[in-house]
Structures are given as structure tokens and as C-alpha cells.
Amino acid sequence: MDRTVPAGVPKILYVLIIVILAAMYYYAAMDVSEPEKVVEDFYSAYFNRDYETMAENLSVFWSVQFLPQYTSQSPAELLNNRDQIVKEISQVIAEQEEENILEDNYSIEVNPEYTRKGTNSAVVVYSVKQDGNKLGMELALLINEAGQFRIFSVNPVDTELLSRITEDDIQELEESFTELLGTE
């Protein structure tokens, strides 16, 4: 009894390849950055003087405060001009930070118990540390610009204020950012 295996590639392999490629495309197209990672990446870039990465993690709405030539543009126009705005704000940050002496012993630690994430907005709270010692806390508001969370604003915050932030406050932020972005 001679049993030979037919030559060629099993047909199921072609189906698996197509399914895997489709899943990879879907994941890449639908990937929304995690707000905590955005904050961590921003500060890692700051500590390493990587101004391009810093600018990539900033919202165009934050950036426009330093780029007066864009102040008359609508939110849609700002989002459409994101690449140019990022390039320009990177240069502005580099110029501002040129003489800033930054010691190597700074870090941040995200406090995940305070993170809140909606569709168009997120809140991330983190501690700023020097030599491992906590200097204070900050709260970053993030906005979802075309599938990627970006830092909209950063403010110092204390623990007492954090305990007063409610889900209603987060919902109001979400509604505000949804209106700003023109999405419903």
C-alpha cells in the first residue's frame, strides 16, 4: 500500500493567511492609543529631549496657543493641518528648551486608579518624581484626534481635588470634546 502525499499547499493555509492579514489590518486601523502610554511617552521624550515625539503626543488644540498663525482656523482645519502643526510646535519646543537644564533624575509614575477614558476624552493622573521622591501630582486631559489620544492640557492637582472628581465631570468633558471635534 503506497500512500504518497500530494504536492502543493493545503487550501486552508490560503484562508488562514487572508484571515490573519484582515485581522492585522483591522487592529492597525482601529488602534486607539492608550492615554496612560501617551503621557508616559510624552515625558520619556521630554526627559530625552526628543521634541518631535513630544510634539506628536500633543493635541493641535494645545499647540495652537504657541502658533498664532493657526488661531483663526476651525477645529476641522487644525486637525487637517496636524502634520504641519506638529512640525512647527516641535521647533518651538526645541527653541524654548534650548537653555533649559534638565537633570537626569526626573521621572513620572502614572496613578492608574484615577485614569478615566471615554470615546473622545481621557484623564490621566501621574506623580512627578525626582530621585524617586514625589514632588507633586499632575492631571493630563487628553483628546482623541483621529484615533489617537493627544495631550490637551496638563495641570497640577492635589489628592483632595482628585477625590472630588465625579463621573459627571468626566461625562461633561466627553461631551465638550465631542462638540469640539464635531463628532456625535
Side-chain angles (χ1 to χ4, degrees):
M1 186 179 246
D2 183 24
R3 296 191 132 198
T4 58
V5 177
V9 177
K11 290 183 171 87
I12 189 70
L13 195 54
Y14 291 118
V15 173
L16 286 174
I17 290 171
I18 292 170
V19 168
I20 290 169
L21 288 174
M24 288 171 54
Y25 173 78
Y26 176 79
Y27 178 75
M30 298 302 172
D31 183 33
V32 175
S33 57
E34 288 301 315
E36 292 174 348
K37 177 127 175 61
V38 170
V39 171
E40 289 169 345
D41 289 349
F42 174 82
Y43 279 98
S44 176
Y46 176 69
F47 298 141
N48 291 308
R49 296 186 175 276
D50 178 358
Y51 304 122
E52 290 175 23
T53 301
M54 285 177 64
E56 280 291 329
N57 286 293
L58 291 169
S59 166
V60 292
F61 301 107
W62 180 91
S63 300
V64 77
Q65 67 185 316
F66 297 99
L67 303 170
Q69 65 271 30
Y70 293 101
T71 56
S72 63
Q73 291 188 357
S74 71
E77 291 171 319
L78 291 173
L79 293 170
N80 286 335
N81 291 324
R82 178 167 177 71
D83 291 340
Q84 184 61 31
I85 292 171
V86 166
K87 182 180 175 184
E88 291 178 31
I89 199 63
S90 174
Q91 293 170 348
V92 169
I93 293 169
E95 290 168 7
Q96 289 180 346
E97 291 293 321
E98 190 173 1
E99 295 183 26
N100 184 17
I101 298 171
L102 187 62
E103 298 176 30
D104 292 335
N105 51 359
Y106 282 96
S107 64
I108 67 157
E109 181 180 331
V110 171
N111 302 97
E113 65 272 18
Y114 297 115
T115 298
R116 301 292 181 267
K117 179 180 168 185
T119 303
N120 291 314
S121 65
V123 175
V124 175
V125 176
Y126 53 95
S127 301
V128 178
K129 296 183 171 189
Q130 183 179 22
D131 290 324
N133 298 318
K134 185 174 166 181
L135 298 176
M137 294 178 75
E138 293 185 349
L139 180 143
L141 298 179
L142 292 91
I143 188 168
N144 186 341
E145 293 179 2
Q148 295 293 316
F149 278 104
R150 311 288 184 187
I151 297 172
F152 185 84
S153 70
V154 173
N155 300 297
V157 67
D158 62 26
T159 310
E160 183 181 312
L161 176 63
L162 287 174
S163 65
R164 290 187 269 161
I165 296 176
T166 66
E167 285 301 319
D168 289 339
D169 296 328
I170 303 303
Q171 186 58 38
E172 286 178 29
L173 177 66
E174 181 70 18
E175 290 169 6
S176 175
F177 280 2
T178 299
E179 184 178 321
L180 176 65
L181 293 167
T183 57
E184 292 296 326

